[in-house]
Amino acid sequence: MGRFIPIWLLAAAWLASACVPADASVAGEKSGATSGGSIVVTDDLGASVELGEPARRVAVVAPFAGELLASIGVRPVAAPLPPGGKASEVYADRAIIVGHMTGPNLEQLAASRPDVVVTTSMYARFTRTIESALGVPVVTLDVTDASDIPRHLETLGSLTGREAPAAARAADVRLLLEQAREDRPQRPLRVLAVFGHHSAMYAFLPDSYVGSLIEMLGGEVVTGGLDSHAVYSELTPFGPEQAIVARPDVLLVLAHGDASGVARTLSERPGWRALPAVRTNRVHALPDGPFVLEPGTDLAGTIALLRGVLAGDDAG
């Protein structure tokens, strides 16, 4: 298969940065953080990252990291511009400066004067360039399982001197995940979760954030055993004929843009009309934001939405 890049991954590569308002909460402020002793964390690439003191200015290339930082009282100084061009409340009152699709915009990153840059492995090839050009460390964090969320909260808390609020938030998330595993159905539903467009489709693997949520709630991801994409390890290239073989009970469709339209188009495919999910009207369009671009954002709402869908709630 060709090296098609899903549009959401392309969109996530665009950066936005701006100066912090005078009254903004910045890492280290009112946190009791001191400069005594260095801070060392290990990122998801196994790299040991050391800071001499808690970071006060954090730039994020990973879309989810900005939301996690905001939940512990830190406002990033630079962040990706989300698809659609509308910044979230985390970046309110800032002049949005768009980066470039080929990777982080070094000029705009430098203008934000970060102490540390948080990115994902998708941009690992830029790590050395960023560190050399800006003279600041880069921390790589990925979300491939729901359990990564509390772990990353603790890492971000350590980096910014916000250990206490990060630990509290991480404990809340772990409790939420534990409670979500309760009352699972006795017979797992076969679930196919796809992303993209009907002409260029990918499916989520069990070893993915979406897959972990599905299985946590008692579903069975039907793509187990398929090979992951060479670059995007959570996804596998998925053809229409594979869905016919998988025979999912529930079909989840995530897409940047008109997910409902993609779901309708898939449901109307001649070979798909006999699928259990289509025959029983269990085809659901889901927003890509909390499931793909910003995992961990409103996790309680995301779990409730997915639980309702798997339970057959039409409102889902």
Side-chain angles (χ1 to χ4, degrees):
M1 181 172 177
R3 298 283 296 224
F4 172 81
I5 300 178
I7 191 169
W8 65 274
L9 289 173
L10 292 176
W14 290 73
L15 293 180
S17 64
C19 296
V20 183
D23 61 346
S25 297
V26 182
E29 290 184 356
K30 301 180 181 179
S31 67
T34 67
S35 59
S38 61
I39 298 167
V40 180
V41 301
T42 301
D43 70 9
D44 284 357
L45 294 183
S48 180
V49 180
E50 182 174 354
L51 295 177
E53 61 182 5
R56 291 175 53 83
R57 301 178 65 82
V58 184
V60 295
V61 179
F64 72 89
E67 299 293 337
L68 295 187
L69 282 166
S71 73
I72 62 173
V74 177
R75 291 186 65 192
V77 295
L81 183 67
K86 183 179 180 181
S88 73
E89 294 180 359
V90 174
Y91 317 114
D93 303 323
R94 303 186 181 198
I96 300 300
I97 304 173
V98 178
H100 195 274
M101 293 173 66
T102 57
N105 186 299
L106 293 180
E107 181 177 316
Q108 293 169 22
L109 272 178
S112 69
R113 297 178 290 111
D115 299 319
V116 65
V117 176
V118 180
T119 183
T120 72
S121 59
M122 185 175 72
Y123 298 114
R125 65 190 184 278
F126 298 106
T127 295
R128 291 186 178 179
T129 302
I130 294 172
E131 291 177 335
S132 176
L134 276 65
V136 300
V138 174
V139 177
T140 301
L141 302 178
D142 290 316
V143 178
T144 59
D145 190 278
S147 63
D148 290 331
I149 299 300
R151 181 170 62 85
H152 290 339
L153 281 164
E154 291 167 342
T155 296
L156 294 171
S158 296
L159 286 172
T160 59
R162 301 284 295 175
E163 292 93 339
R169 178 62 181 147
D172 289 342
V173 172
R174 288 191 174 99
L175 178 60
L176 175 64
L177 296 178
E178 183 63 29
Q179 292 173 337
R181 293 183 178 91
E182 301 175 356
D183 300 325
R184 295 191 295 179
Q186 293 182 351
R187 184 185 73 84
L189 291 169
R190 294 173 57 80
V191 182
L192 172 61
V194 299
F195 185 91
H197 194 268
H198 57 84
S199 62
M201 189 180 305
Y202 292 81
F204 290 93
L205 293 165
D207 294 332
S208 66
Y209 177 68
V210 172
S212 73
L213 290 177
I214 291 171
E215 298 201 339
M216 180 177 63
L217 296 174
E220 176 189 352
V221 180
V222 297
T223 52
L226 295 181
D227 293 332
S228 63
H229 190 277
V231 178
Y232 313 115
S233 60
E234 292 188 69
L235 301 171
T236 181
F238 201 80
E241 68 284 353
Q242 291 171 294
I244 297 174
V245 174
R247 294 185 58 79
D249 300 308
V250 179
L251 174 62
L252 307 179
V253 180
L254 297 92
H256 174 53
D258 185 16
S260 296
V262 176
R264 286 193 300 271
T265 300
L266 291 176
S267 298
E268 293 169 358
R269 296 185 71 98
W272 287 43
R273 293 174 183 172
L275 295 181
V278 177
R279 286 191 290 103
T280 59
N281 197 29
R282 301 293 301 276
V283 180
H284 299 271
L286 297 179
D288 62 347
F291 287 97
V292 179
L293 290 175
E294 296 174 337
T297 302
D298 186 21
L299 187 56
T302 301
I303 290 173
L305 171 60
L306 187 55
R307 186 190 297 277
V309 166
L310 296 181
D313 182 359
D314 290 338

